[in-house]
Amino acid sequence: MNNTMTIWTRKFMTNRLLQWKQMATDVLHPGKATVPKTEVPGKLVKMYKTTPHVTFVFGFRTHFGGGKTTGFGVIYDSLDYAKKNEPKHRLSRYGLYQKKNTSRK
Amino acid sequence: MAAPVSAEVLESDLSSAMALLKNLQEQVMAVTAHIQALTKKVQARAYPTEKGLSLLEVKDQLLLMYLMDLSHLILNKASGGSLQRHAAVLRLVEMRTVLEKLRPLDQKLKYQIDKLIKTAVTGSLSENDPLRFKPHPSSMMSKLSSEDEEDEAEKGQSGASGKKSANGAVKKYVPPRLVPVHYDETEAEREKKRLERAKKRALSSSVIRELKEQYSDAPEEIRDARHPHVTRQSQEDQHRINYEESMMVRLSVSKREKGRRKRASVMSSQLHSLTHFSDISALTGGTPHLDEDQNPVKKRKKVPKKGRKKKGFRRRR
């Protein structure tokens, strides 16, 4: 199977206030279904030479007609900053946080 | 040898030949004297070239070698030899090629060489001399750079880096002073403006464009161009996309917004454009007719307050 997934990043910005580097990621996957969120951080890690536990991606929307998906990517300076600044639902996607299911009553 | 010629031709030729040879002899003596003077000067080290431009030195040497080979060939030819396959000819050709390749380099250095010569001749340049102006990249760097500048060297794609936190002293915001202009646009002027806008819109409509293509001599272009009229919906979409990408959030789309988008996309994807033509009455002077897709001027009906307060009554457009 030809691995034709290409990733472009746009609007790259280093945000010192949140200690992250943010970017808009364009994933090109002509002829294939939308690429799952779990595969994209791997490619970003290779592009920016970081570690996988500080790269988070979210907000993927596929354009009409298929072939192109746009989302956002965020690379933290360290895992401590990631745990501090990242919303809990995104951390739980990567297994760094577990929501406590306390009973309501 | 040449065919037997008449004596008159020989005589005239002889006198001109004698004159030329005498001229040649005089010039040769002058040149020899000049060269001997130069050689003495060079041997007395009056022209030190170690700290000079190496390009000029190369040119010097090449020209000298060229002269030597050329004089050798002249000597050869004068004593009756032939130039066929002489080694000096090949050397001359080679040197000539090199000199010609050096010529554009020479042109590029012309400015610098002129400047150097001028400084050497006049001592120093005046304050307003245009030769003194050169770019100062160090004065373009911001002097307010803090330590953040060093560790922002990114590999990979680098977009706009984050704003510097240390931006100097915080200054008080002074709002811009805008000069108020008197507004006295009459109804007639408004009408005229409307008409002009309608004319411009009509000129870029498909009917007029096809007429133009029919009567012009230019070749027919088939282009995958974007729609010339940016609709409000497309502008709003673009605004939304820009906001989402700069704020890194995804905005939710309300039902009304979805309906509007669907209507706009359906309208453009149908065969509507084949049968409905835009209004060119602004150019023809007729009465304007509105197409079904264009939103007519909304007349706001007075909604009775009683109806509004009714519970459960919700009008969704």
Side-chain angles (χ1 to χ4, degrees):
Chain A
M1 207 47 144
N2 52 344
N3 199 4
T4 55
M5 177 173 86
T6 323
I7 294 197
W8 291 346
T9 63
R10 290 180 290 123
K11 297 203 176 171
F12 185 93
M13 188 164 96
T14 307
N15 194 334
R16 284 267 148 251
L17 301 166
L18 290 162
Q19 296 98 25
W20 74 23
K21 296 178 175 60
Q22 68 190 48
M23 68 205 82
T25 40
D26 272 347
V27 182
L28 291 159
H29 47 93
K32 299 195 327 194
T34 306
V35 175
K37 282 194 292 265
T38 46
E39 286 186 21
V40 181
K43 289 244 169 169
L44 276 183
V45 156
K46 259 188 266 168
M47 276 171 73
Y48 288 93
K49 300 180 188 62
T50 54
T51 43
H53 59 253
V54 288
T55 42
F56 300 90
V57 290
F58 58 97
F60 280 97
R61 293 280 165 90
T62 311
H63 293 237
F64 186 75
K68 185 167 168 187
T69 310
T70 309
F72 306 117
V74 137
I75 300 175
Y76 281 95
D77 290 348
S78 76
L79 191 58
D80 293 333
Y81 288 128
K83 286 198 179 147
K84 193 165 74 133
N85 290 331
E86 191 78 354
K88 303 282 186 282
H89 66 272
R90 269 188 238 151
L91 285 174
S92 63
R93 280 182 202 167
Y94 290 84
L96 296 164
Y97 178 76
Q98 286 295 327
K99 187 173 151 189
K100 288 189 280 276
N101 272 331
T102 52
S103 70
R104 192 169 63 83
K105 297 231 198 301
Chain B
M1 277 303 288
V5 287
S6 56
E8 299 102 41
V9 177
L10 259 177
E11 267 201 36
S12 60
D13 269 352
L14 197 67
S15 53
S16 60
M18 285 303 292
L20 280 170
L21 281 170
K22 199 176 248 175
N23 207 0
L24 194 65
Q25 197 178 29
E26 282 168 23
Q27 287 195 342
V28 162
M29 287 203 311
V31 166
T32 327
H34 191 69
I35 291 203
Q36 277 173 347
L38 262 179
T39 328
K40 262 194 221 142
K41 272 201 216 164
V42 169
Q43 280 176 345
R45 300 187 200 283
Y47 303 124
T49 52
E50 293 97 38
K51 294 190 193 155
L53 283 172
S54 53
L55 177 75
L56 296 176
E57 178 136 17
V58 165
K59 276 179 73 171
D60 269 346
Q61 300 282 345
L62 275 176
L63 286 168
L64 277 173
M65 280 165 42
Y66 194 88
L67 271 178
M68 285 198 284
D69 277 326
L70 199 62
S71 41
H72 177 75
L73 282 178
I74 292 175
L75 195 65
N76 218 351
K77 196 81 176 151
S79 46
S82 103
L83 286 177
Q84 283 265 7
R85 283 186 228 96
H86 203 281
V89 175
L90 297 166
R91 282 203 297 270
L92 278 177
V93 167
E94 195 187 322
M95 279 186 277
R96 185 71 182 277
T97 346
V98 173
L99 278 169
E100 286 195 352
K101 291 230 191 252
L102 284 178
R103 212 180 293 161
L105 271 176
D106 208 19
Q107 272 215 335
K108 283 186 193 168
L109 283 177
K110 188 168 162 347
Y111 172 78
Q112 281 197 357
I113 295 174
D114 283 342
K115 197 159 117 170
L116 282 170
I117 294 174
K118 209 166 180 187
T119 3
V121 165
T122 63
S124 73
L125 296 174
S126 69
E127 192 64 39
N128 296 334
D129 202 311
L131 286 175
R132 222 177 189 206
F133 299 150
K134 66 172 197 175
H136 293 283
S138 59
S139 64
M140 289 189 205
M141 265 175 44
S142 161
K143 302 267 186 341
L144 301 170
S145 61
S146 54
E147 309 85 53
D148 279 357
E149 289 276 302
E150 277 86 58
D151 50 2
E152 269 183 11
E154 279 134 11
K155 311 167 223 157
Q157 286 166 338
S158 62
S161 64
K163 288 219 170 82
K164 291 181 274 216
S165 43
N167 208 1
V170 179
K171 294 194 204 117
K172 180 178 165 199
Y173 173 66
V174 177
R177 278 251 176 98
L178 298 167
V179 182
V181 181
H182 190 59
Y183 173 78
D184 56 355
E185 196 178 56
T186 58
E187 186 65 42
E189 283 176 16
R190 239 175 284 161
E191 266 301 313
K192 213 169 32 157
K193 268 198 193 166
R194 215 178 46 82
L195 201 66
E196 273 187 31
R197 249 179 272 147
K199 262 197 211 167
K200 219 168 56 163
R201 234 178 296 149
L203 273 174
S204 64
S205 76
S206 60
V207 177
I208 304 294
R209 257 190 293 133
E210 273 169 29
L211 273 176
K212 264 195 236 174
E213 276 169 36
Q214 191 182 6
Y215 287 111
S216 87
D217 289 332
E220 198 179 297
E221 292 177 14
I222 299 176
R223 212 186 300 186
D224 190 30
R226 282 165 63 187
H227 197 73
H229 297 293
V230 273
T231 51
R232 176 174 263 162
Q233 189 55 45
S234 54
Q235 271 182 330
E236 275 187 25
D237 281 339
Q238 199 56 44
H239 184 67
R240 176 182 288 266
I241 289 173
N242 285 341
Y243 181 85
E244 283 189 348
E245 290 195 345
S246 52
M247 296 288 151
M248 302 258 294
V249 289
R250 286 284 180 210
L251 297 167
S252 60
V253 192
S254 66
K255 259 195 213 172
R256 217 168 270 195
E257 185 65 35
K258 265 193 234 172
R260 260 185 243 152
R261 257 196 220 169
K262 200 166 167 205
R263 249 184 290 143
S265 70
V266 150
M267 204 52 71
S268 56
S269 62
Q270 283 172 350
L271 302 172
H272 185 267
S273 56
L274 285 178
T275 49
H276 290 79
F277 300 103
S278 45
D279 179 27
I280 49 169
S281 64
L283 296 172
T284 59
T287 52
H289 73 273
L290 270 171
D291 223 349
E292 293 97 65
D293 63 330
Q294 286 173 349
N295 296 331
V297 177
K298 283 191 185 155
K299 284 193 192 155
R300 295 225 166 192
K301 290 192 198 139
K302 275 197 176 168
V303 182
K305 276 192 179 167
K306 265 195 169 175
R308 279 236 163 159
K309 282 199 179 152
K310 229 181 184 176
K311 235 186 177 179
F313 171 76
R314 284 272 202 115
R315 207 160 57 108
R316 284 210 183 266
R317 268 181 286 138

